[in-house]
Amino acid sequence: MLAEAKDASELMVDLAYAALYFDDEGMADAVLSLEEDMSALVHEMRSLAMLAVRHPREVDGMSSVLQVVSSIEQIANAAVDISKIVLHHLGIPRALIVDLAQAAEVSHRLVVAEGSHLANRPLRDMELPVAVGMRVVAIQRGRHWLTDVGGDSIVEPGDVLFMRGDPAGIVRLRELAAMERWNPPEPDEAQVLSDLDRAVDTLVEMKNLSEAAIGLAYSALVLHDLSLAREVRSMQERLDGMKVSMQTWVLRAAAEADEAGADPAGLRGLLHVAEAAEDIGDQARNITSLVLEDEDIHPVLALALGDTDDVVVQVPVAPGSQADDSTLGSLGLAVDPGYHVLAIRRAASYIYNPPRTVRLWVGDELLASGPEEGRDRLAAICGYSMDIDEETGHIQLTPVA
C-alpha cells in the first residue's frame, strides 16, 4: 500500500503540472479522482500501522512509517492545489506555459480511439519509449486506475493513457492514438513583462527543484545516505528563498500590468503554483529528517519504496564506458533504458535534475530512477555488469573488462 501511495502521489504531481501545460481540465479532474483513492489508502495505512504495534519498543519504528505516509499525503494535496488552478481558471501567464514546454520530461494524457495504431495491442509491441520517447505510467479504464503497467498490458479502445517522457514525442504520439493534432505553445512577446519573466523562470526552477527533491528524498531514505539527505535539506531552503523572490516579482508584474490596463488577476495562478512547489519541497525535507536525525526507521519503508514502479539506482561511470565523456542527451537514457537522472554526484557535491547538456566523466555517480527491468542496461552503459541478491536485494557492480 505504501508503494502504491508513493507511485500515485508522484503521478498526481506529474498530471497536475501537465494540466497546467495543456490547460487540460481532464487531467486536472484525474488528479481529483486519484485524491479520492489516496485518501482511502492513507486512512487504511494509518489504521494498519496502529494495529501492527504490539509492544512499546515498536512505536518509534512505526512512527517513521506514519511520518512518510503523512508526507506522501501532503504531496498529493499539493498536486490537487495545482490542478485547481486549471479547474478554477485562476490564470497562468502564457510565458509559464512556454517555459514548461522546455522541460526535459513532460506528462501527457491521450484517449485511445477505436481503430488507432495503439488499440488492442500490448504495450511491449508498440515500443513507445523507442518510437516516441514517452512511456505509459498509468491507464484509466472507466472508473478504474491501472498503475502497475507492464509490457503485457493490452491497451483497449477508450483507455486514457497517461504518458511521461520527451515533449518532442507528443505530436507523433497523438497521431498513433488518432487524436487531433496538437501544436506546442510559442512565446508571445507582447505579453511578456520583465518582472513576470523573472517570476516565471524562478517558478519553473522551483518546479524542477521540488520534483528532484522528492526523488532524492526517497533515495536518501532507502539508501540511508546522510549526504543525500543534507542535499535535500539545502534544496528545501533554496525553495523557501525562491518563493519569496518569486512573490516579489509577481507583485511588481501585477502593478505593471495594472498600469498598462491589463488584468493582474491572471497572475494569481503563479502564486498558487509557488506555494505548492514549496509544500512539495517541505515534504521532501520531512522525509529526510528521519535520516538527518538518525531516527529508528522501520524496515517496511525500504521494502515498500524499493517495490514501487520505479526503482532508484546508484551507478558510477567507469573508464572507457559508453557514458564516459558523453552528454546525458546523447545517451538517451530516458528512452533506453527509460531512466530519469535525478542527480549526479561529482566529488563532494550534487548536480540535481541535470540538463541534457551535462557531460559525464569517470568517477561521476548517477542517481537515477526508472523501471526495474532496465537496471542491467543502465549499468552496462556506465561500464558495469549488475548482480542482485534475490534475498537481500543488495546490488553488486562488477566493472566490464
Side-chain angles (χ1 to χ4, degrees):
M1 294 172 69
L2 189 59
E4 182 182 349
K6 171 187 175 290
D7 288 337
S9 68
E10 292 180 325
L11 175 61
M12 290 171 71
V13 172
D14 286 343
L15 293 181
Y17 280 123
L20 285 182
Y21 175 43
F22 294 100
D23 193 21
D24 190 323
E25 293 190 12
M27 271 192 270
D29 284 330
V31 175
L32 299 188
S33 174
L34 283 165
E35 182 197 22
E36 296 177 5
D37 297 338
M38 176 68 74
S39 296
L41 201 57
V42 167
H43 176 75
E44 191 169 354
M45 281 192 291
R46 285 175 172 152
S47 299
L48 289 174
M50 287 187 285
L51 290 171
V53 176
R54 295 180 174 84
H55 193 278
R57 66 171 175 269
E58 298 175 348
V59 171
D60 288 343
M62 192 55 70
S63 68
S64 66
V65 176
L66 291 173
Q67 184 168 326
V68 173
V69 169
S70 178
S71 292
I72 290 174
E73 182 184 29
Q74 292 303 315
I75 292 168
N77 290 340
V80 171
D81 290 340
I82 295 171
S83 67
K84 287 181 178 177
I85 297 170
V86 177
L87 295 174
H88 296 168
H89 306 287
L90 295 183
I92 287 293
R94 185 173 182 81
L96 176 61
I97 306 302
V98 173
D99 273 16
L100 289 177
Q102 307 307 315
E105 281 199 328
V106 298
S107 296
H108 191 51
R109 168 185 177 271
L110 55 84
V111 181
V112 178
E114 180 72 61
S116 71
H117 183 74
L118 303 181
N120 301 309
R121 298 181 62 194
L123 288 174
R124 180 179 291 107
D125 290 354
M126 303 178 204
E127 297 185 332
L128 293 177
V130 176
V132 299
M134 302 193 81
R135 62 190 185 277
V136 178
V137 295
I139 299 175
Q140 186 179 13
R141 184 168 294 163
R143 294 184 58 84
H144 300 287
W145 284 86
L146 309 176
T147 55
D148 187 14
V149 180
D152 295 330
S153 300
I154 297 178
V155 176
E156 300 179 2
D159 281 354
V160 181
L161 304 186
F162 293 91
M163 316 284 296
R164 183 163 179 82
D166 191 334
I170 292 178
V171 173
R172 175 58 179 155
L173 184 65
R174 293 175 70 90
E175 290 176 355
L176 295 175
M179 292 185 67
E180 68 276 8
R181 182 175 176 80
W182 174 81
N183 296 312
E186 296 181 357
D188 185 348
E189 295 298 334
Q191 297 182 7
V192 176
L193 302 174
S194 58
D195 285 316
L196 176 57
D197 197 32
R198 284 189 288 177
V200 165
D201 289 344
T202 301
L203 188 55
V204 171
E205 187 177 354
M206 287 184 70
K207 168 194 175 293
N208 294 335
L209 194 61
S210 63
E211 290 181 317
I214 284 296
L216 295 179
Y218 288 130
S219 305
L221 190 60
V222 172
L223 303 171
H224 205 79
D225 190 318
L226 185 58
S227 64
L228 207 52
R230 288 171 177 159
E231 187 69 19
V232 172
R233 180 176 60 189
S234 175
M235 294 164 75
Q236 185 265 334
E237 291 170 352
R238 283 194 61 197
L239 281 167
D240 286 347
M242 292 167 70
K243 176 188 168 184
V244 173
S245 299
M246 203 281 302
Q247 288 173 330
T248 302
W249 288 325
V250 168
L251 292 174
R252 289 177 180 172
E256 292 177 12
D258 188 49
E259 291 176 1
D263 184 7
L267 303 177
R268 290 180 300 165
L270 289 177
L271 298 176
H272 285 264
V273 179
E275 189 72 35
E278 187 201 26
D279 287 345
I280 292 172
D282 288 344
Q283 298 314 313
R285 169 67 174 80
N286 191 44
I287 290 171
T288 55
S289 67
L290 295 170
V291 179
L292 291 169
E293 298 168 15
D294 197 24
E295 295 188 19
D296 187 10
I297 299 177
H298 199 286
V300 73
L301 288 173
L303 291 172
L305 299 179
D307 189 36
T308 56
D309 288 346
D310 284 351
V311 296
V312 177
V313 181
Q314 282 182 302
V315 186
V317 176
S321 65
Q322 183 181 345
D324 182 15
D325 198 21
S326 296
T327 64
L328 282 179
S330 66
L331 291 175
L333 300 179
V335 175
D336 179 22
Y339 269 73
H340 172 60
V341 179
L342 300 169
I344 300 171
R345 191 203 300 261
R346 178 168 290 170
S349 62
Y350 287 90
I351 305 172
Y352 51 81
N353 208 19
R356 295 166 55 86
T357 54
V358 167
R359 188 170 297 276
L360 301 176
W361 307 109
V362 173
D364 285 350
E365 188 173 52
L366 302 186
L367 191 71
S369 65
E372 184 176 358
E373 59 270 19
R375 289 188 296 188
D376 289 342
R377 172 63 180 152
L378 178 64
I381 291 173
C382 292
Y384 293 89
S385 62
M386 179 178 287
D387 297 312
I388 303 172
D389 190 310
E390 296 297 336
E391 293 185 2
T392 64
H394 179 70
I395 295 175
Q396 177 68 39
L397 295 174
T398 304
V400 177

